[in-house]
Amino acid sequence: MDTQRNTKQKQFILAILKEADRPMSINEIYAQLVNQLPKIAKSTIYRTIDALLGQSLIDKYHLTDNEVFYRIKADRNEHKHVIICDDCKKVFDLPACPIHAIEDAIVEEGFIIKDHQIQITGLCKDCALHHK
Ligand SMILES: [Zn+2]
Ligand SMILES: [Zn+2]
């Protein structure tokens, strides 16, 4: 794969994530990307996503048990956690990250932390009403 094509794929994926303004799964990204790049393979998307993660341009979220979601970052230092409604898939930001304080204690033990995730599952207010 040449660099120029690589750059094009990155730009397309970033544009899709920006437009969506919410976390998207690989399948959702693929469904949109294939309209623009009909020959794109899922393995190429995974590779491009990895490169974008390495550049801190996107964030990775484990919002459900089976799927990983990706969201564009406002800037490289942005650190956000989100939860997603099981039913309507609406996304809510968590007000803060409580993990850093806990991490400090582990780092003191010499542990090198690469990443962390918060997974909270459930229903939003509207969907909870309909489930009564
Ligand atoms: Zn909902
Ligand atoms: Zn955090």
Side-chain angles (χ1 to χ4, degrees):
M1 191 197 315
D2 62 82
T3 321
Q4 213 174 346
R5 249 177 72 202
N6 205 342
T7 307
K8 195 170 137 195
Q9 286 150 0
K10 279 185 189 173
Q11 283 165 349
F12 272 122
I13 292 179
L14 285 175
I16 288 169
L17 289 172
K18 195 172 181 178
E19 175 77 19
D21 195 29
R22 64 174 182 82
M24 288 178 91
S25 66
I26 290 282
N27 286 332
E28 288 173 320
I29 294 168
Y30 177 76
Q32 293 208 17
L33 198 56
V34 82
N35 294 326
Q36 291 151 321
L37 304 170
K39 286 179 188 158
I40 191 103
K42 263 192 200 168
S43 57
T44 308
I45 300 181
Y46 278 108
R47 255 201 322 271
T48 310
I49 288 281
D50 275 344
L52 292 170
L53 282 169
Q55 292 176 281
S56 293
L57 294 175
I58 60 171
D59 245 339
K60 182 178 176 182
Y61 297 104
H62 296 264
L63 300 177
T64 66
D65 286 339
N66 352 317
E67 257 181 325
V68 180
F69 292 79
Y70 302 92
R71 178 154 95 164
I72 194 162
K73 288 169 76 155
D75 65 74
R76 278 166 204 253
N77 297 319
E78 185 186 69
H79 181 80
K80 238 184 200 176
H81 291 285
V82 296
I83 53 176
I84 189 165
C85 172
D86 281 346
D87 216 356
C88 70
K89 309 297 176 199
K90 200 170 159 197
V91 173
F92 300 85
D93 290 332
L94 290 191
C97 173
I99 307 284
H100 291 305
I102 304 164
E103 281 180 344
D104 289 343
I106 307 166
V107 168
E108 272 180 31
E109 301 286 321
F111 195 90
I112 296 163
I113 294 166
K114 287 187 192 162
D115 186 24
H116 68 242
Q117 297 284 332
I118 298 177
Q119 188 187 53
I120 300 173
T121 58
L123 296 170
C124 75
K125 201 167 82 179
D126 293 341
C127 293
L129 271 177
H130 294 133
H131 275 256
K132 270 185 185 166

